[in-house]
Amino acid sequence: MTNEETNGALRDYSANHRMLLISGLAAILGGAGAVLAWALLGLIRLATNLFYFQQFSFVDRSPADHTMGWWAALMPVIGGLIIGVIARYGSEKIRGHGMPEAIEAIVFKGGKVAPRLAILKPIATAIAIGSGGPFGAEGPIIMTGGATGSLIGQLLRTTDAERTTLLVAGAAAGMSATFSCPLSAVLLAVELLLFEWRPRSLVPVAVASVTAGAIRRLLLGPGPIFPMLPTTVPMHHMAMIGALIVGVLAALLSMGLSRALYGIEDFFERLPVHWMWWPAIGGVIVGIGGLIFPPALGVGYGVIQRLVTDDVTWKLILGVLLVKSFIWTFSLGSNTSGGILAPLLMIGGAMGAAMGHVLTPVSQGAWALVGMSSVLAAAIGAPLTAAMLAVELTHNGGLMLPVLLACVVSYGMGVLFQPRSILTERLSRRGFHLSREYGVDPLETVMVRDVMHTSMFALSDKAVRQDAADWLAKMNQRGSEAWSHWQRLFPLVDSAGHLSGVLTRSQMITSAGAGNLEQALLKDGRSNSATISPRDTLRTVAEKMAKSKLTSFPVIDAVGMLVGMINIDDLLVARSKSSLRDSDSKRVLTLRWPFGRQSQAAPSINRVVEPIDNANREKEAMEQVEERIERGLD
């Protein structure tokens, strides 16, 4: 629904009462997302205890604390075999970390997700992480929450846009409940999932995220996930320079991880074995890595906590940067089930902690937090989400300046030097193209009155077929130039100028060649023609053209008076203006020295402006020729 269709007048927003209904459903999804996050974390703990401690228990334990010896290397392999079976005989969509699949469902599938994915994805994720997989739970819970939202949208009578909003609301609820980060979850939805900035989607997503965050406090407890001492010292300028350096290194690290991940995916694609066995092959590497560096196994929240509290050694830093990075990219490249956020936070935190040994000291764990947020920002292309997540995970707002700077720098470098992020590369390999840039539709900023034709050929509503024949004869006398005239629709107006009906050019020709030349043309045309207001936007015109399959509309004012005509070609005016904004560079102000002496740059300005003036003069000349033709037709 367009702005104009909401209440007959232009508005800032196009939301209607349906937003309240979707927000109510989103609140239910928020509660469901919190319960799903709680259940998934419980399943991960249960799987961890079963695989590494042979106990049916929900106690929170790390796989690194096992006492199995080298037998522990078999656990990721067993987990990989189970996941391969679930993927082959349950749903292939459980493979991967979930976020590209969520984006694909949102953008290309109308928000439709198979219902069984809401059950199989958390089970597969719990097995993958519980058996030692170096993954996070947030990606799969985002997909699980999204699948739940999509299921509700499919059960009810909803539009594609509403179903997509419910999917994203469920995903945001899962993210909010997992990390206790309601605002970051909303930002993640905006930067990665919604692909629009409209109240109709933003309000329900925020409602779901807040609801999930509130219920999460009851199920999993309040407080930050990774508490650290608040930073209260004034931010030194050298700290900001350090943040810039960390941002650059974070971008390079994230690009390296992305290329390694998809290089490993290519390696698995070339293997002469069915993809069902790939997770088990990846599990072999995970098992070996777990023997070398046990903290690399599992979600690794304990390691992240050590990084932000400065409880680190070079053994821990190198273990994360080398072993964790390798087994994570290799196992994820095998298309097993697991998330990417927690591993990226851990790897980025280790990089930041390493840089903290050479950068200006700020506070305990500061550089680890800057590193983890900037790596995340570059990897997923969401700087605002990453910066806010750093604050919500630690409740340390004192580091916002260096965190935000590092995130923006790493994001900027990633945009310039990496055509696809770690999330969209997989979609690109599947043949989808996805642009993640937001902008106001140029058709929304141009009014009909700015581009419509006000000089046109109109007939009286009393005109008969003989008048059409006379018009055709006049056109034949003027030759091909007259026949190529822009007008394809001919209005019929009464004596006061009010629109009574329209005829297309083909109808005019048919009427002129038919018998009974005294019959009124109004009977041969359409008396209830679709019209456009001069205060409508070109976007409204484009939508009406798409629905009606018509390419030309008469323009009438509030009292029904014919004031102009608009064709499909006129829509290009807005697009050309938008293109010129990006390509037409020129100097607007000219600096002059005192006493009227022009600066040295002035001659180059004149040379730049002159071709533009010539082009404008040519355009004006063409418009004058067109006006003369129109006057001749009138």
Side-chain angles (χ1 to χ4, degrees), residues 333-403:
S334 69
N335 276 331
T336 188
S337 182
I340 66 172
L341 298 190
L344 287 172
L345 292 175
M346 186 190 299
I347 296 169
M351 183 271 292
M355 292 299 299
H357 287 80
V358 296
L359 297 176
T360 302
V362 179
S363 63
Q364 186 184 79
W367 290 116
L369 187 64
V370 173
M372 68 172 63
S373 59
S374 55
V375 167
L376 182 64
I380 68 175
L384 300 182
T385 299
M388 182 51 62
L389 185 63
V391 175
E392 290 191 301
L393 288 178
T394 62
H395 287 195
N396 187 2
L399 291 174
M400 177 52 78
L401 283 178
V403 163

Side-chain angles (χ1 to χ4, degrees), residues 29 32-33 36 91 93-94 98 101-103 105-106 111-122 139-155 163-174 193:
L29 277 174
L36 286 172
S91 174
K93 295 297 183 180
I94 69 166
E101 290 74 19
I103 295 173
I106 291 165
K112 299 175 184 177
V113 178
R116 57 184 172 178
L117 197 62
I119 299 175
L120 295 179
K121 187 66 175 180
I141 193 59
I142 285 174
M143 190 59 192
T144 303
T148 305
S150 174
L151 178 60
I152 293 177
Q154 293 179 66
L155 290 173
R163 192 163 47 248
T164 297
T165 298
L166 290 173
L167 189 157
V168 177
L193 301 176

Side-chain angles (χ1 to χ4, degrees), residues 149-337:
S150 174
L151 178 60
I152 293 177
Q154 293 179 66
L155 290 173
L156 301 176
R157 190 178 183 88
T158 56
T159 65
D160 281 0
E162 292 169 342
R163 192 163 47 248
T164 297
T165 298
L166 290 173
L167 189 157
V168 177
M175 170 80 171
S176 175
T178 304
F179 272 154
S180 187
C181 57
L183 184 53
S184 299
V186 175
L187 290 175
L188 182 78
V190 171
E191 291 189 295
L192 289 181
L193 301 176
L194 282 176
F195 294 93
E196 67 177 29
W197 183 274
R198 293 185 177 185
R200 70 174 188 181
S201 54
L202 181 62
V203 171
V205 167
V207 168
S209 181
V210 171
T211 304
I215 297 179
R216 190 240 186 236
R217 296 166 60 88
L218 302 176
L219 297 176
L220 298 171
I225 305 298
F226 308 120
M228 64 184 298
L229 293 177
T231 301
T232 58
V233 297
M235 202 57 57
H236 194 268
H237 64 274
M238 290 302 296
M240 303 305 292
I241 296 177
L244 192 150
I245 296 172
V246 171
V248 172
L249 294 178
L252 297 175
L253 177 58
S254 68
M255 285 188 282
L257 291 172
S258 180
R259 293 182 181 181
L261 171 61
Y262 289 104
I264 293 170
E265 275 201 1
D266 293 337
F267 164 75
F268 276 100
E269 292 285 350
R270 292 191 293 268
L271 290 179
V273 295
H274 193 275
W275 56 259
M276 183 183 75
W277 305 104
W278 295 356
I281 298 174
V284 173
I285 301 300
V286 174
I288 296 173
L291 294 178
I292 298 173
F293 183 65
L297 298 174
V299 177
Y301 286 175
V303 175
I304 298 176
Q305 181 64 62
R306 292 179 61 184
L307 290 170
V308 298
T309 54
D310 270 353
D311 181 19
V312 295
T313 61
W314 278 108
K315 179 181 178 181
L316 179 67
I317 292 174
L318 293 177
V320 172
L321 289 176
L322 299 179
V323 179
K324 178 77 174 185
S325 299
F326 181 71
I327 67 172
W328 172 66
T329 53
F330 196 90
S331 55
L332 193 61
S334 69
N335 276 331
T336 188
S337 182

